[in-house]
Amino acid sequence: MNPNLTTDRPTFVTHLECSLTGERYEADRLHGLSRAGRPLLVRYDLDAVKTTLSRDALAARQTDMWRWRELLPVRRTEDVVSLGEIETPLIPIPRSAGSANVWVKDEGRLPTGSFKARGLVMAVAMAKELGVTRIAMPTNGNAGAALAAYATRVGIETIVFCPEDTPEVNVREIAMQGARVWRVNGLIDDCGAIVGKGAAEGRWFDFSTLKEPYRIEGKKTMGLELAAQFGWELPDAIFYPTGGGTGLIGMWKAFDELEALGWIGAKRPRMYAVQASGCAPIVRAFEDGVEHAERWEDAHTVAAGIRVPKAVGDFLILRAVRASGGKALGVGDPAILKAVDEAARKDGLLLCPEGGATLAAYREALRTGEVDEDERVVLFNCATGLKYPMPEAPRTLDRHGAIDFDML
Amino acid sequence: MNPNLTTDRPTFVTHLECSLTGERYEADRLHGLSRAGRPLLVRYDLDAVKTTLSRDALAARQTDMWRWRELLPVRRTEDVVSLGEIETPLIPIPRSAGSANVWVKDEGRLPTGSFKARGLVMAVAMAKELGVTRIAMPTNGNAGAALAAYATRVGIETIVFCPEDTPEVNVREIAMQGARVWRVNGLIDDCGAIVGKGAAEGRWFDFSTLKEPYRIEGKKTMGLELAAQFGWELPDAIFYPTGGGTGLIGMWKAFDELEALGWIGAKRPRMYAVQASGCAPIVRAFEDGVEHAERWEDAHTVAAGIRVPKAVGDFLILRAVRASGGKALGVGDPAILKAVDEAARKDGLLLCPEGGATLAAYREALRTGEVDEDERVVLFNCATGLKYPMPEAPRTLDRHGAIDFDML
């Protein structure tokens, strides 16, 4: 049905390199972090891609993630796995944003209802390609659901660890989709410590954010899609809900690759890393002018997806934000909830709390003059709002009684 | 961003006609049911469409619902409303279906998480075009959510009535998106009676399934998409979860229109109307060889979306099923739940119960020889599985204790 999943295509990965030191690593071998303990980045022969693939050829393909295959790491077509990774739509929210130039990129439409599908479909495909049979991962919920779904599909065993207050729907979804799932009395980095310990003992492969090199390649497709959707003229600003930051780092990498192909120019969007005030290590590091972020103690926010006290790719996030002329911005829970409510009630779009955070941050940036009303802005809604608690609402009507139509 | 939403396009609606008597009704006027109390069908000048639009021109457009504009009723571009109505993906489920030729059309990826978005986006756009300011509707949940979202977006007031046991998530979603929502102590047709009474008093416009003519035009796009996705060779069989049946009727209409355009041949899929054994009025009527279905008393099933005791378009469903060489099939709740579980656990795809019903019906049809393993079959998953209860699963791990890695 979809030729992107079945057509053999040339691949262009040359090697991987440490994002901190530039040290080179061989392609087609299983890797975790670099020897410096930092994320590895996948490098491509972009000159060769340039002579192989044109924007027109790309435009003729079905618009899903796998049409970007020449810029992705999977070598063998048989290792492509898919649950329908559509290009996510851009939805204007003129009333709640207060500008007609703001689009929500609705990542909740992806398989398992979140943008985690982008990273995990790629990482699982590569795990399959490289012979991994058992994976463990810490998750605030959505990443675990995506991992479970894709790993199940290719027959890889998975063990998933969530903070104890992870929403019930996430935990059940992970279990339904064939993973073994445990709640842990702690936060995501506490879960990550358990995964790391098991990995060190050789019990499983560690799939933590940025601890394997391929989730970032999947998340990169957010940037590739944006470029195509905006007619190869990137928007002026991107507001991105930032926990581990893979997507922000991935988009930044995508823009560089697209420029190397000659498909876009040197202009970049200002990247705004949005965090919750109750867990804002990147905001603090940005404001302090430092390159690495210290662990945020006593992290708390309704936006569990960005409740990440310590990110292994902190310096990559901060570099991209600074190079772009953007900022790291914190927003409080009341502003997040108000934004979710307004987008639904005024524009009919139900955001997740992390998506609400980007809207709240945009509104504040508009107020302070950080962005102009006529700038083209993309807000990332990273998951379907349906997974999150909504306020109680229903009233009951007795059909056997006399119905007062005036009060309905 | 999406030219389908902003490009002026010619329109081809000529008139409407009663689906029972053929009586003609004027276009561009507000209509409910026909004088015979039956659904109205929209008719187009298909010869003129044929000279205006080619399959190639269509293929060059962004693949969302609105690319079919020449076959849709909305006249004015400014009345187009959208929350990103993507073409939904076809996902193979080889392990749980037991055949590599079975695809799930995952309608849960549409706005508000269900295929109801297709019908309601069209009906709301037409309500806007025709000057409606207040809408009421009965719903088992998903239709109400779609109505609320789109009506909010165009500023139309909505009042929604749900059976009292409608899942909490649906009721809250409807309220969040700006509708007034009431639980009613009864089933969907009891809710419909209240809507009908208010409509008769002139309090609102009645948006019940098939009681206004445009939801079917939106649902029709399922058939249009399938034709395009299958390269203009329709699949051999379609399993469709059937409550009000708008989608089945709509697809059948779409196929006729596509044949009139010369885009497909005379071959049609066998249409299987799938119902729950606990509410199977269409199955009973099919087996009794009658043209209309009597109300099903004491309706009960876990698949609330197909818990529709009486459908106003019953004869249209039965005609399409019979003309196609298909059947109406009932499946029990245990088979539905087992199918949902297997699709998730074996293929990583979380279906809604109604989607599970189509998989259960397919499996049974395969067992009885009603379908062959090598036939190309589409199962409709009409909503995201995330809106539905999932079994309890989580186990808790104490990170402060000694972790026994062997038992994880």
Side-chain angles (χ1 to χ4, degrees):
Chain A
M1 287 314 101
N2 178 358
N4 292 345
L5 307 179
T6 51
T7 308
D8 287 328
R9 296 209 163 119
T11 65
F12 299 91
V13 176
T14 53
H15 64 286
L16 293 82
E17 63 183 37
C18 174
S19 55
L20 189 67
T21 66
E23 188 188 5
R24 191 181 172 106
Y25 291 76
E26 253 182 87
D28 307 310
R29 297 186 54 173
L30 202 60
H31 295 293
L33 290 175
S34 72
R35 270 175 286 269
R38 292 295 167 176
L40 289 176
L41 299 176
V42 182
R43 297 300 179 197
Y44 301 81
D45 180 352
L46 295 170
D47 288 335
V49 174
K50 199 171 178 172
T51 60
T52 307
L53 183 66
S54 68
R55 294 195 313 200
D56 285 348
L58 189 87
R61 295 180 184 172
Q62 190 164 326
T63 47
D64 70 358
M65 256 185 80
W66 289 103
R67 73 166 165 154
W68 301 100
R69 182 91 176 274
E70 287 86 346
L71 293 170
L72 296 174
V74 178
R75 301 272 198 202
R76 293 193 310 249
T77 306
E78 72 222 57
D79 293 323
V80 168
V81 52
S82 176
L83 285 162
E85 298 70 29
I86 59 152
E87 181 177 278
T88 56
L90 291 168
I91 302 168
I93 48 165
R95 297 183 202 190
S96 51
S99 160
N101 299 308
V102 173
W103 290 267
V104 172
K105 192 154 168 71
D106 190 5
E107 298 279 299
R109 310 295 195 78
L110 289 163
T112 70
S114 89
F115 70 163
K116 298 290 183 179
R118 294 186 189 269
L120 271 313
V121 70
M122 208 54 59
V124 167
M126 289 306 294
K128 184 182 172 211
E129 192 149 289
L130 297 170
V132 173
T133 57
R134 204 162 188 238
I135 292 168
M137 195 175 71
T139 178
N140 281 323
N142 284 325
L147 169 62
Y150 289 113
T152 285
R153 211 161 161 85
V154 300
I156 295 178
E157 198 184 341
T158 45
I159 305 106
V160 170
F161 301 90
C162 319
E164 59 190 337
D165 61 352
T166 301
E168 189 65 21
V169 60
N170 296 89
V171 181
R172 293 185 183 203
E173 181 190 6
I174 294 167
M176 278 286 284
Q177 290 165 181
R180 298 206 295 282
V181 55
W182 294 88
R183 285 186 188 276
V184 175
N185 50 348
L187 292 182
I188 189 163
D189 49 359
D190 299 312
C191 297
I194 296 170
V195 171
K197 187 147 185 281
E201 291 181 12
R203 293 177 176 274
W204 50 56
F205 187 64
D206 186 342
F207 245 47
S208 304
T209 301
L210 295 174
K211 288 196 182 166
E212 65 73 57
Y214 302 109
R215 282 170 71 172
I216 195 173
E217 294 302 296
K219 282 282 191 75
K220 171 177 96 174
T221 60
M222 293 189 293
L224 301 175
E225 280 183 18
L226 272 187
Q229 288 178 302
F230 276 84
W232 312 103
E233 282 285 342
L234 295 175
D236 299 303
I238 292 174
F239 285 70
Y240 187 81
T242 305
T246 325
L248 194 148
I249 299 165
M251 284 192 279
W252 198 247
K253 182 171 187 283
F255 299 150
D256 284 348
E257 290 173 1
L258 290 173
E259 188 179 357
L261 293 177
W263 293 8
I264 64 169
K267 190 207 154 197
R268 294 287 182 277
R270 300 196 304 282
M271 305 295 281
Y272 292 96
V274 178
Q275 298 202 302
S277 313
C279 182
I282 300 296
V283 177
R284 186 172 55 193
F286 177 82
E287 289 173 354
D288 291 350
V290 296
E291 221 201 336
H292 291 279
E294 280 181 44
R295 186 175 197 275
W296 189 274
E297 300 303 328
D298 299 322
H300 59 89
T301 167
V302 292
I306 50 177
R307 196 182 56 185
V308 178
K310 172 95 186 135
V312 65
D314 53 359
F315 66 109
L316 296 171
I317 300 167
L318 288 160
R319 276 184 200 170
V321 166
R322 287 180 176 129
S324 77
K327 282 186 176 168
L329 302 169
V331 286
D333 280 2
I336 290 174
L337 294 172
K338 182 161 179 273
V340 170
D341 180 62
E342 290 196 352
R345 199 162 32 78
K346 296 183 178 175
D347 291 301
L349 187 63
L350 189 63
L351 304 173
C352 64
E354 297 78 11
T358 66
L359 173 56
Y362 170 78
R363 294 276 305 176
E364 179 64 11
L366 196 61
R367 198 186 61 78
T368 61
E370 175 69 29
V371 292
D372 289 335
E373 200 180 300
D374 56 356
E375 287 189 299
R376 299 182 312 162
V377 174
V378 172
L379 312 180
F380 271 86
N381 183 52
C382 45
T384 170
L386 293 168
K387 288 197 190 188
Y388 301 85
M390 288 178 268
E392 225 172 308
R395 295 164 295 179
T396 300
L397 191 68
D398 179 11
R399 72 186 171 96
H400 302 298
I403 296 172
D404 177 3
F405 281 89
D406 288 329
M407 66 99 204
L408 292 179
Chain B
M1 289 313 102
N2 178 358
N4 292 344
L5 307 179
T6 51
T7 308
D8 288 328
R9 294 209 165 120
T11 65
F12 298 92
V13 175
T14 53
H15 64 287
L16 292 81
E17 63 185 35
C18 174
S19 56
L20 189 65
T21 65
E23 188 187 5
R24 190 181 171 104
Y25 291 76
E26 255 181 85
D28 308 311
R29 297 184 54 173
L30 202 60
H31 294 293
L33 291 175
S34 72
R35 271 176 285 270
R38 293 294 168 178
L40 290 176
L41 299 176
V42 181
R43 297 301 179 196
Y44 300 81
D45 181 352
L46 295 171
D47 288 335
V49 174
K50 200 171 175 171
T51 60
T52 307
L53 183 65
S54 68
R55 294 195 313 201
D56 286 349
L58 189 87
R61 295 180 184 170
Q62 190 163 328
T63 48
D64 70 358
M65 257 186 80
W66 290 103
R67 74 166 165 153
W68 302 98
R69 181 90 177 275
E70 287 86 346
L71 293 170
L72 297 174
V74 178
R75 302 271 197 203
R76 293 192 311 249
T77 306
E78 72 220 58
D79 293 323
V80 169
V81 52
S82 175
L83 285 161
E85 297 72 28
I86 59 152
E87 181 177 276
T88 56
L90 291 167
I91 302 167
I93 47 166
R95 298 184 200 188
S96 51
S99 160
N101 299 307
V102 172
W103 289 267
V104 172
K105 192 155 167 72
D106 190 5
E107 298 279 299
R109 308 297 195 78
L110 289 163
T112 70
S114 89
F115 71 163
K116 298 290 182 178
R118 292 186 190 269
L120 271 312
V121 71
M122 208 54 60
V124 167
M126 289 306 293
K128 184 183 173 210
E129 192 150 289
L130 297 169
V132 173
T133 56
R134 204 164 190 234
I135 291 170
M137 196 175 71
T139 179
N140 280 324
N142 283 327
L147 170 62
Y150 289 113
T152 286
R153 211 159 161 86
V154 300
I156 295 178
E157 198 183 341
T158 46
I159 304 106
V160 170
F161 301 90
C162 318
E164 59 189 337
D165 61 352
T166 301
E168 190 65 21
V169 60
N170 296 90
V171 180
R172 292 185 185 203
E173 182 190 6
I174 294 167
M176 278 286 285
Q177 291 165 179
R180 298 205 295 282
V181 56
W182 294 89
R183 287 188 188 273
V184 175
N185 50 347
L187 293 182
I188 190 164
D189 49 359
D190 299 311
C191 298
I194 296 169
V195 171
K197 187 148 184 282
E201 291 181 11
R203 292 176 178 276
W204 51 55
F205 186 65
D206 186 343
F207 246 47
S208 303
T209 302
L210 295 174
K211 287 194 181 165
E212 65 73 56
Y214 303 108
R215 281 170 72 173
I216 195 172
E217 293 304 296
K219 282 282 190 76
K220 173 176 95 175
T221 59
M222 293 190 294
L224 302 175
E225 279 183 19
L226 273 187
Q229 288 176 302
F230 275 85
W232 311 102
E233 284 284 341
L234 295 175
D236 299 303
I238 292 174
F239 285 71
Y240 187 81
T242 306
T246 325
L248 193 147
I249 299 165
M251 282 193 279
W252 198 246
K253 181 171 187 282
F255 299 151
D256 284 348
E257 292 173 359
L258 290 173
E259 188 180 357
L261 294 177
W263 293 7
I264 64 169
K267 191 207 153 197
R268 294 287 181 279
R270 300 197 304 282
M271 305 296 280
Y272 292 96
V274 178
Q275 299 202 302
S277 312
C279 182
I282 300 295
V283 177
R284 186 171 58 191
F286 177 82
E287 289 174 354
D288 291 349
V290 296
E291 220 200 338
H292 290 280
E294 280 181 43
R295 185 175 199 276
W296 188 275
E297 300 302 327
D298 298 321
H300 59 90
T301 168
V302 291
I306 50 176
R307 196 182 56 183
V308 178
K310 172 94 187 133
V312 65
D314 52 1
F315 65 109
L316 296 171
I317 301 168
L318 287 159
R319 277 184 199 171
V321 166
R322 287 179 176 130
S324 76
K327 283 187 175 166
L329 302 170
V331 287
D333 280 2
I336 290 174
L337 294 173
K338 183 161 178 274
V340 170
D341 180 61
E342 290 196 355
R345 202 163 29 80
K346 295 183 179 177
D347 291 302
L349 187 62
L350 189 62
L351 303 174
C352 64
E354 298 77 12
T358 66
L359 174 56
Y362 170 78
R363 295 276 305 175
E364 177 64 10
L366 196 61
R367 198 186 62 78
T368 61
E370 174 68 30
V371 293
D372 289 336
E373 201 180 300
D374 56 356
E375 287 189 300
R376 299 183 311 161
V377 174
V378 172
L379 312 180
F380 270 86
N381 182 52
C382 45
T384 170
L386 293 168
K387 288 196 190 189
Y388 301 86
M390 288 179 267
E392 225 172 309
R395 294 166 295 181
T396 300
L397 191 69
D398 178 12
R399 72 186 172 95
H400 302 298
I403 296 172
D404 177 3
F405 281 88
D406 287 328
M407 65 101 204
L408 292 179

